[in-house]
């Protein structure tokens, strides 16, 4: 309609020139053409010069671009919805290390913030220590930085200082993002807060260490006592422990692990 109107107005003499794109269909496919017209020098109705140009390629390209933008926007919305729903912290980086996305769970784990560092050097805003050694983690030692450098999937365990000043423990797992040719496009890292589990484990270790200290103290008292001491168990009176004074009493025979009747048969019947 636009093309026919422009042509009609030009030929009728109501416009000096016109330019319109209009669709038309051949026997095999649809195409677009651009019509350019200008009235002849003499003026008046019917005195016009009209040229046509095939604009199919440009229109197809524009439609493909619009479709790609729509799909990209849909993918972006799906990614944002997914990140918002995941209960573990997620960060996504491009191949240079620039953080492009993080989710609410990431901010929660880090005490209210999850800065999107623009470089790997910027990862130093996150403070952490290697759980095994207590050595502070350098920017290039964070799991995501190492994955971007090596192209490998990696997992690390850190103690962290959150942005609210509290401490915690996280399990970091990172993986590379590759295209179909294996070229590195970026990386993703997920963080799981294991603070509560770690603190329970530490408390258990501390309790075991305390019990071991107490046991060692009792053993030392038992061994150094001037009295004759022995510990026996069960109906057969199996020796579990005997101190040096007791061993001297029984002629330095070692009864540990033996029933009383076997270790000291002379006392049976007494």
């Amino acid at each position: 309609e636009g093309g026919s109107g422009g042509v009609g107005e030009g030929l009728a003499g109501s416009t000096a020139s016109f330019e319109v794109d209009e669709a038309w269909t051949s026997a095999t496919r649809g195409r677009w053409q651009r019509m350019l017209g200008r009235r002849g020098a003499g003026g008046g109705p019917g005195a016009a010069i009209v040229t046509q140009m095939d604009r199919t390629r440009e229109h197809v390209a524009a439609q493909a671009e619009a479709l790609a933008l729509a799909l990209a926007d849909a993918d972006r919305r799906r990614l944002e919805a997914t990140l918002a729903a995941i209960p573990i912290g997620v960060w996504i980086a491009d191949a240079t290390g620039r953080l492009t996305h993080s989710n609410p769970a990431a901010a929660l784990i880090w005490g209210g913030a999850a800065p999107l560092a623009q470089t790997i050097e910027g990862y130093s805003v996150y403070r952490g220590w290697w759980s095994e050694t207590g050595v502070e983690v350098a920017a290039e030692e964070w799991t995501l930085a190492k994955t971007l450098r090596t192209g490998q999937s990696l997992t690390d365990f850190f103690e962290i200082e959150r942005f609210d000043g509290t401490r915690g423990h996280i399990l970091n797992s990172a993986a590379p993002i590759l295209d179909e040719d294996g070229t590195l496009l970026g990386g993703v890292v997920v963080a799981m807060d294991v603070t509560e589990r770690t603190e329970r484990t530490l408390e258990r270790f501390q309790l075991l260490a305390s019990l071991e200290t107490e046991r060692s103290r009792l053993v030392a008292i038992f061994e150094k006592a001037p009295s004759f001491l022995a510990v026996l168990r069960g109906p057969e009176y199996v020796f579990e422990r005997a101190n040096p004074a007791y061993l001297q009493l029984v002629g330095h025979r070692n009864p540990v692990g033996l029933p009383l009747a076997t270790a000291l048969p002379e006392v049976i019947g007494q």
Side-chain angles (χ1 to χ4, degrees):
E1 292 180 355
S4 299
V7 173
E9 291 175 1
L11 293 176
S14 58
T15 60
S17 63
F18 60 90
E19 178 179 334
V20 295
D21 283 3
E22 64 177 17
W24 58 282
T25 304
S26 68
T28 57
R29 58 175 177 167
R31 303 184 66 83
W32 283 83
Q33 64 180 356
R34 170 159 295 182
M35 301 183 68
L36 304 173
R38 181 177 298 275
R39 278 194 296 146
I49 300 174
V50 179
T51 60
Q52 291 178 273
M53 298 172 57
D54 190 338
R55 297 280 294 174
T56 303
R57 179 178 299 177
E58 289 82 351
H59 276 272
V60 170
Q63 291 171 349
E65 181 180 4
L67 177 60
L69 290 174
L71 291 175
D73 184 64
D75 287 342
R76 178 185 61 80
R77 293 177 182 274
R78 280 194 291 267
L79 174 61
E80 291 176 349
T82 301
L83 290 176
I86 292 177
I88 57 177
V90 180
W91 292 258
I92 300 174
D94 63 20
T96 69
R98 181 176 66 91
L99 298 178
T100 59
H101 298 81
S102 67
N103 68 339
L108 184 64
I109 290 173
W110 276 89
L116 295 179
Q118 297 301 294
T119 63
I120 289 178
E121 290 76 13
Y123 293 4
S124 60
V125 70
Y126 294 92
R127 293 199 66 196
W129 294 264
W130 293 97
S131 296
E132 298 84 358
T133 64
V135 175
E136 187 165 3
V137 181
E140 67 275 9
E141 293 177 326
W142 283 106
T143 316
L144 180 56
K146 293 189 297 181
T147 287
L148 292 173
R149 186 169 64 250
T150 64
Q152 298 177 342
S153 297
L154 301 169
T155 298
D156 292 311
F157 185 50
F158 300 115
E159 181 181 0
I160 63 170
E161 181 179 275
R162 303 184 182 97
F163 291 102
D164 61 6
T166 60
R167 293 265 185 139
H169 297 268
I170 61 172
L171 188 66
N172 253 18
S173 296
I177 301 173
L178 308 174
D179 68 10
E180 59 184 8
D181 297 322
T183 301
L184 182 71
L185 300 178
V188 59
V189 61
V190 298
M192 181 181 298
D193 190 337
V194 293
T195 302
E196 184 177 347
R197 185 188 313 169
T198 302
E199 289 178 348
R200 286 200 304 266
T201 301
L202 290 174
E203 288 174 358
R204 185 164 61 250
F205 284 155
Q206 290 170 354
L207 176 60
L208 291 174
S210 177
L211 292 174
E212 180 60 25
T213 299
E214 189 63 25
R215 188 193 70 82
S216 298
R217 184 181 299 115
L218 292 175
V219 168
I221 294 173
F222 183 88
E223 293 291 331
K224 295 178 181 179
S227 303
F228 310 122
L229 298 176
V231 178
L232 299 91
R233 62 175 169 81
E236 295 184 351
Y237 302 104
V238 176
F239 281 89
E240 284 194 340
R241 185 178 295 276
N243 71 347
Y246 189 88
L247 294 178
Q248 184 177 7
L249 175 68
V250 297
H252 296 286
R253 288 175 291 173
N254 186 3
V256 175
L258 300 175
L260 177 62
T262 302
L264 303 171
E266 68 271 15
V267 304
I268 303 300
Q270 292 185 7

